[in-house]
Amino acid sequence: MTALNAAVSTLPGVGPKKAEALGRLDISTLTDVLFHLPSRYEDRTRITPIAKLIHGVDGQIEGRVTDVRIAFGRRRTMLCTLQDDSATMVLRFFHFSKKQEQLLRRANWLRCYGNARIGRLGQIEMVHPEYQLISEPGVLAMTEGLTAVYPATEGIGQHLLRQLSTAALNVLNKGGTLPELLPESLGEQFDLAPMADAINYIHRPPENADLEKLIDGDHPMLQRLIFEELLAHHLSLRQRRKLREGYQAPQIPANSERFRKMIAALPFSLTQAQQRVIDEIAKDCSSALPMQRLLQGDVGSGKTVVAAAVLANAVAVGEQCVLMVPTEILSEQHYRCLLEWFEPLGVCVAWLHGRVKGTQRKKLLAALAGGDIDILVGTHAVFQDEVIYKKLGLVIIDEQHRFGVPQRLALQRKGENENSRPHQLIMTATPIPRSLAMTFYADLDLSVIDELPPGRQLITTTVISRQRRNDVVERIRHACLEGRQVYWVCTLIDESNLIVSQAATDTAAELTEQLSGIRIGLVHGRMKGDEKAQQMAAFKAGEIDLLVATTVIEVGVDVPNASLMIIENAERLGLSQLHQLRGRVGRGEQKSHCVLMYHGTLSHNARSRLAIMRETNDGFAIAHKDLELRGPGELLGVRQTGDMRLRVARLDAGEAMLDDIRSVADELLASNPVVVAQLLQRWLGRAQDFATV
Ligand code: ADP
Ligand code: MG
């Protein structure tokens, strides 16, 4: 046993409690610590005067504590005022202990690092910054080189993670060995750095490291890690695909009478593309091999009706079906849609959501277990333990990029017994370039809707600096007075749900002040389900003119009368996400507009990204560009989905690398099962259990 195999609890500072919390990060050994890679880097090599802080940008400051007080507003908040030669600012804490409060009250000077916010009145703030007590300014040495920031969890802060990685790197560099799992010839063929060098580099980038390259992931040192990580994911998908062959699924004949009736009742005719994918899916379902198909179609291409067509055939032969979606807002929308289409056909559609409680819930679950419900619509709720299906034959997952593989599998398992499992259709509006899909969705067959329903209007997009916010507000006023509806989307990247929700609340308050007479609504992630649903319903009914929202509205929401969208901090979002958001408008008769608002000066990369949004409405073109500019990690959205989390923060893998990965995988699967297992263990850890059950 090498020292790197030792348990993390052998390191100083890791007691049983910490060890358990580390387990949540999938860290149990020193090797796991080494493969817990930074998600980003911070530049703490200098101090910024408070007055020079930039909205939305991280900064390090030193200031004298002039006041600490607790504000009792809607929530208890600790406010700590700091001052330096240039200005004053406030540190805002929503969670804090008595101990912290006392510490700050006794503090004289602080050094802080955090994301700066500058309010409309010029007040400078940081929410939950990292801070350190100092006796006077300038006494504490600056950090040399870039500071790694790790994915953290409750009870495990950056400080501990840095300490642990330092300890693990020490062991590695004093003779610990990280096995080189890739065949030697491969390393030469692709010019990959040795593993130990790459690991050292990514945790502790040298002082002269090129931050931009490092963040973009095209640093040569990173390529080694990226190659291995992508290879490991691809291998696990290939294994999963192979597993399918051991199962059977119910045979669902195509073109049932229910299906024909449903299609005939639609107020429109299907596009050719819709017809084609319906045929592809129906063919899968009529075979006894479980379907595992990914349906891609741009925003607004009409995936819902395709799903309904498949459902119609399945219920026709008595199979139970479930449609899982990522948000409750979307689940309600789908439920209403399916109800309209299926109720006249005598099909029982039910909706499972957070507000179905008590006896109502019991009744619904009993009806499901008894087979009285044909189609169940809902969020993650649909695969919880208490939910039992009589005979689940078809699983449809909408907006797949919001779910992790474990969640997909948990749902699938609801319909699994002995050697049979349900058919699975997975839908996404994120068009994935083919090479990427072949590598990253290797467990799935692919269908594409490459045509929009006729008569769609192009959305006009403009890019505007936040300094022109007042013009934008005037534009909203005009639009609302003309009876149009507007979305205002608040986004902050790398921030907690809490802070983004707070920002949305603040924005709604500001806009209410500025736009008297305009009816303003608000939805954010921390609102209760029924509050959210009520606001959405009011917006849909036209009782609200302007809806201030976080990205909870990103997926699927369909309000055709909304024709103007403002997206704040657009420069910090990925192209695919912007495209998704923008897809909330342009759904009706009216000419639609999207305003991308940015802060400060745009980097070269950000400028070209926003330019793409202005130039095209084509999701595939946008996805290709996204792949080129930000790498597959962002595009796939896997970082949002928990267990399938990629460890290398930015995966920059050209299409050539993706092709190589597939051929290396072929080779390893054919001749080296031991290395396959080791790669899965190293990169997927516990997550791989899902692939091999
Ligand atoms: P998405 O692919 O983004 O999920 P939806 O299924 O929500 O798209 O469809 C968007 C809108 O287009 C809906 O209002 C739907 O009724 C409508 N629609 C779907 N297919 C067609 C069609 N063939 N012709 C006209 N309208 C359609
Ligand atoms: Mg949809």
Side-chain angles (χ1 to χ4, degrees), residues 9-26:
S9 54
T10 59
L11 292 178
V14 185
K17 237 182 161 163
K18 294 276 180 216
E20 196 193 317
L22 284 164
R24 286 202 299 275
L25 294 171
D26 218 357

PDB file of all heavy atoms in Angstrom, residues 9-26:
ATOM      1  N   SER A   9      -8.337  10.403   6.457  1.00  0.00           N
ATOM      2  CA  SER A   9      -8.400  10.650   7.902  1.00  0.00           C
ATOM      3  C   SER A   9      -7.039  10.514   8.575  1.00  0.00           C
ATOM      4  O   SER A   9      -6.885  10.857   9.737  1.00  0.00           O
ATOM      5  CB  SER A   9      -9.412   9.703   8.546  1.00  0.00           C
ATOM      6  OG  SER A   9      -9.087   8.376   8.206  1.00  0.00           O
ATOM      7  N   THR A  10      -6.035  10.019   7.846  1.00  0.00           N
ATOM      8  CA  THR A  10      -4.696   9.961   8.430  1.00  0.00           C
ATOM      9  C   THR A  10      -4.013  11.324   8.377  1.00  0.00           C
ATOM     10  O   THR A  10      -2.952  11.513   8.969  1.00  0.00           O
ATOM     11  CB  THR A  10      -3.805   8.939   7.690  1.00  0.00           C
ATOM     12  OG1 THR A  10      -3.728   9.326   6.309  1.00  0.00           O
ATOM     13  CG2 THR A  10      -4.370   7.530   7.787  1.00  0.00           C
ATOM     14  N   LEU A  11      -4.599  12.281   7.672  1.00  0.00           N
ATOM     15  CA  LEU A  11      -3.994  13.613   7.609  1.00  0.00           C
ATOM     16  C   LEU A  11      -4.413  14.431   8.820  1.00  0.00           C
ATOM     17  O   LEU A  11      -5.519  14.266   9.334  1.00  0.00           O
ATOM     18  CB  LEU A  11      -4.437  14.336   6.335  1.00  0.00           C
ATOM     19  CG  LEU A  11      -3.919  13.764   5.012  1.00  0.00           C
ATOM     20  CD1 LEU A  11      -4.487  14.556   3.841  1.00  0.00           C
ATOM     21  CD2 LEU A  11      -2.395  13.784   4.976  1.00  0.00           C
ATOM     22  N   PRO A  12      -3.511  15.341   9.277  1.00  0.00           N
ATOM     23  CA  PRO A  12      -3.873  16.185  10.414  1.00  0.00           C
ATOM     24  C   PRO A  12      -5.078  17.061  10.075  1.00  0.00           C
ATOM     25  O   PRO A  12      -5.231  17.500   8.934  1.00  0.00           O
ATOM     26  CB  PRO A  12      -2.624  17.041  10.653  1.00  0.00           C
ATOM     27  CG  PRO A  12      -1.750  16.851   9.456  1.00  0.00           C
ATOM     28  CD  PRO A  12      -2.156  15.580   8.795  1.00  0.00           C
ATOM     29  N   GLY A  13      -5.931  17.272  11.055  1.00  0.00           N
ATOM     30  CA  GLY A  13      -7.084  18.156  10.836  1.00  0.00           C
ATOM     31  C   GLY A  13      -8.313  17.431  10.310  1.00  0.00           C
ATOM     32  O   GLY A  13      -9.341  18.049  10.085  1.00  0.00           O
ATOM     33  N   VAL A  14      -8.200  16.109  10.066  1.00  0.00           N
ATOM     34  CA  VAL A  14      -9.358  15.377   9.557  1.00  0.00           C
ATOM     35  C   VAL A  14      -9.850  14.367  10.586  1.00  0.00           C
ATOM     36  O   VAL A  14      -9.321  13.270  10.708  1.00  0.00           O
ATOM     37  CB  VAL A  14      -9.022  14.646   8.237  1.00  0.00           C
ATOM     38  CG1 VAL A  14     -10.270  13.988   7.668  1.00  0.00           C
ATOM     39  CG2 VAL A  14      -8.435  15.615   7.230  1.00  0.00           C
ATOM     40  N   GLY A  15     -10.821  14.771  11.377  1.00  0.00           N
ATOM     41  CA  GLY A  15     -11.451  13.856  12.328  1.00  0.00           C
ATOM     42  C   GLY A  15     -12.581  13.108  11.643  1.00  0.00           C
ATOM     43  O   GLY A  15     -12.799  13.288  10.443  1.00  0.00           O
ATOM     44  N   PRO A  16     -13.297  12.298  12.409  1.00  0.00           N
ATOM     45  CA  PRO A  16     -14.383  11.499  11.815  1.00  0.00           C
ATOM     46  C   PRO A  16     -15.445  12.359  11.116  1.00  0.00           C
ATOM     47  O   PRO A  16     -15.944  11.999  10.061  1.00  0.00           O
ATOM     48  CB  PRO A  16     -15.007  10.792  13.024  1.00  0.00           C
ATOM     49  CG  PRO A  16     -14.016  10.894  14.129  1.00  0.00           C
ATOM     50  CD  PRO A  16     -13.119  12.039  13.843  1.00  0.00           C
ATOM     51  N   LYS A  17     -15.753  13.521  11.722  1.00  0.00           N
ATOM     52  CA  LYS A  17     -16.793  14.376  11.148  1.00  0.00           C
ATOM     53  C   LYS A  17     -16.371  14.929   9.788  1.00  0.00           C
ATOM     54  O   LYS A  17     -17.118  14.905   8.817  1.00  0.00           O
ATOM     55  CB  LYS A  17     -17.063  15.541  12.101  1.00  0.00           C
ATOM     56  CG  LYS A  17     -18.520  15.591  12.516  1.00  0.00           C
ATOM     57  CD  LYS A  17     -18.747  16.761  13.410  1.00  0.00           C
ATOM     58  CE  LYS A  17     -20.211  17.114  13.463  1.00  0.00           C
ATOM     59  NZ  LYS A  17     -20.492  17.962  14.611  1.00  0.00           N
ATOM     60  N   LYS A  18     -15.120  15.439   9.758  1.00  0.00           N
ATOM     61  CA  LYS A  18     -14.604  15.983   8.500  1.00  0.00           C
ATOM     62  C   LYS A  18     -14.497  14.868   7.461  1.00  0.00           C
ATOM     63  O   LYS A  18     -14.784  15.068   6.281  1.00  0.00           O
ATOM     64  CB  LYS A  18     -13.214  16.611   8.700  1.00  0.00           C
ATOM     65  CG  LYS A  18     -13.222  17.830   9.584  1.00  0.00           C
ATOM     66  CD  LYS A  18     -13.576  19.098   8.812  1.00  0.00           C
ATOM     67  CE  LYS A  18     -13.569  20.306   9.728  1.00  0.00           C
ATOM     68  NZ  LYS A  18     -14.595  21.291   9.413  1.00  0.00           N
ATOM     69  N   ALA A  19     -14.064  13.701   7.913  1.00  0.00           N
ATOM     70  CA  ALA A  19     -13.904  12.585   6.980  1.00  0.00           C
ATOM     71  C   ALA A  19     -15.243  12.263   6.324  1.00  0.00           C
ATOM     72  O   ALA A  19     -15.308  11.996   5.123  1.00  0.00           O
ATOM     73  CB  ALA A  19     -13.344  11.362   7.701  1.00  0.00           C
ATOM     74  N   GLU A  20     -16.285  12.322   7.122  1.00  0.00           N
ATOM     75  CA  GLU A  20     -17.608  12.025   6.582  1.00  0.00           C
ATOM     76  C   GLU A  20     -18.025  13.089   5.558  1.00  0.00           C
ATOM     77  O   GLU A  20     -18.519  12.775   4.470  1.00  0.00           O
ATOM     78  CB  GLU A  20     -18.617  11.987   7.728  1.00  0.00           C
ATOM     79  CG  GLU A  20     -19.915  11.320   7.350  1.00  0.00           C
ATOM     80  CD  GLU A  20     -20.998  11.579   8.378  1.00  0.00           C
ATOM     81  OE1 GLU A  20     -20.711  11.496   9.587  1.00  0.00           O
ATOM     82  OE2 GLU A  20     -22.125  11.891   7.954  1.00  0.00           O
ATOM     83  N   ALA A  21     -17.763  14.355   5.919  1.00  0.00           N
ATOM     84  CA  ALA A  21     -18.112  15.440   4.993  1.00  0.00           C
ATOM     85  C   ALA A  21     -17.297  15.321   3.706  1.00  0.00           C
ATOM     86  O   ALA A  21     -17.798  15.556   2.607  1.00  0.00           O
ATOM     87  CB  ALA A  21     -17.873  16.789   5.656  1.00  0.00           C
ATOM     88  N   LEU A  22     -16.033  14.926   3.836  1.00  0.00           N
ATOM     89  CA  LEU A  22     -15.198  14.754   2.644  1.00  0.00           C
ATOM     90  C   LEU A  22     -15.749  13.651   1.747  1.00  0.00           C
ATOM     91  O   LEU A  22     -15.627  13.704   0.532  1.00  0.00           O
ATOM     92  CB  LEU A  22     -13.752  14.443   3.045  1.00  0.00           C
ATOM     93  CG  LEU A  22     -12.949  15.652   3.551  1.00  0.00           C
ATOM     94  CD1 LEU A  22     -11.690  15.202   4.270  1.00  0.00           C
ATOM     95  CD2 LEU A  22     -12.611  16.595   2.406  1.00  0.00           C
ATOM     96  N   GLY A  23     -16.360  12.667   2.395  1.00  0.00           N
ATOM     97  CA  GLY A  23     -16.985  11.592   1.638  1.00  0.00           C
ATOM     98  C   GLY A  23     -18.025  12.120   0.659  1.00  0.00           C
ATOM     99  O   GLY A  23     -18.186  11.593  -0.435  1.00  0.00           O
ATOM    100  N   ARG A  24     -18.686  13.190   1.072  1.00  0.00           N
ATOM    101  CA  ARG A  24     -19.688  13.783   0.168  1.00  0.00           C
ATOM    102  C   ARG A  24     -19.043  14.356  -1.085  1.00  0.00           C
ATOM    103  O   ARG A  24     -19.687  14.534  -2.100  1.00  0.00           O
ATOM    104  CB  ARG A  24     -20.458  14.896   0.895  1.00  0.00           C
ATOM    105  CG  ARG A  24     -21.467  14.389   1.906  1.00  0.00           C
ATOM    106  CD  ARG A  24     -22.535  15.459   2.165  1.00  0.00           C
ATOM    107  NE  ARG A  24     -21.983  16.698   2.702  1.00  0.00           N
ATOM    108  CZ  ARG A  24     -21.755  16.900   3.998  1.00  0.00           C
ATOM    109  NH1 ARG A  24     -22.035  15.971   4.881  1.00  0.00           N
ATOM    110  NH2 ARG A  24     -21.267  18.046   4.406  1.00  0.00           N
ATOM    111  N   LEU A  25     -17.748  14.681  -0.982  1.00  0.00           N
ATOM    112  CA  LEU A  25     -17.023  15.166  -2.158  1.00  0.00           C
ATOM    113  C   LEU A  25     -16.327  14.005  -2.872  1.00  0.00           C
ATOM    114  O   LEU A  25     -15.508  14.211  -3.752  1.00  0.00           O
ATOM    115  CB  LEU A  25     -15.988  16.217  -1.755  1.00  0.00           C
ATOM    116  CG  LEU A  25     -16.526  17.532  -1.206  1.00  0.00           C
ATOM    117  CD1 LEU A  25     -15.399  18.377  -0.640  1.00  0.00           C
ATOM    118  CD2 LEU A  25     -17.261  18.298  -2.290  1.00  0.00           C
ATOM    119  N   ASP A  26     -16.658  12.799  -2.443  1.00  0.00           N
ATOM    120  CA  ASP A  26     -16.067  11.611  -3.048  1.00  0.00           C
ATOM    121  C   ASP A  26     -14.577  11.497  -2.724  1.00  0.00           C
ATOM    122  O   ASP A  26     -13.798  10.965  -3.497  1.00  0.00           O
ATOM    123  CB  ASP A  26     -16.272  11.642  -4.571  1.00  0.00           C
ATOM    124  CG  ASP A  26     -16.576  10.256  -5.120  1.00  0.00           C
ATOM    125  OD1 ASP A  26     -16.575   9.300  -4.332  1.00  0.00           O
ATOM    126  OD2 ASP A  26     -16.795  10.143  -6.334  1.00  0.00           O
TER     127      ASP A  26
END
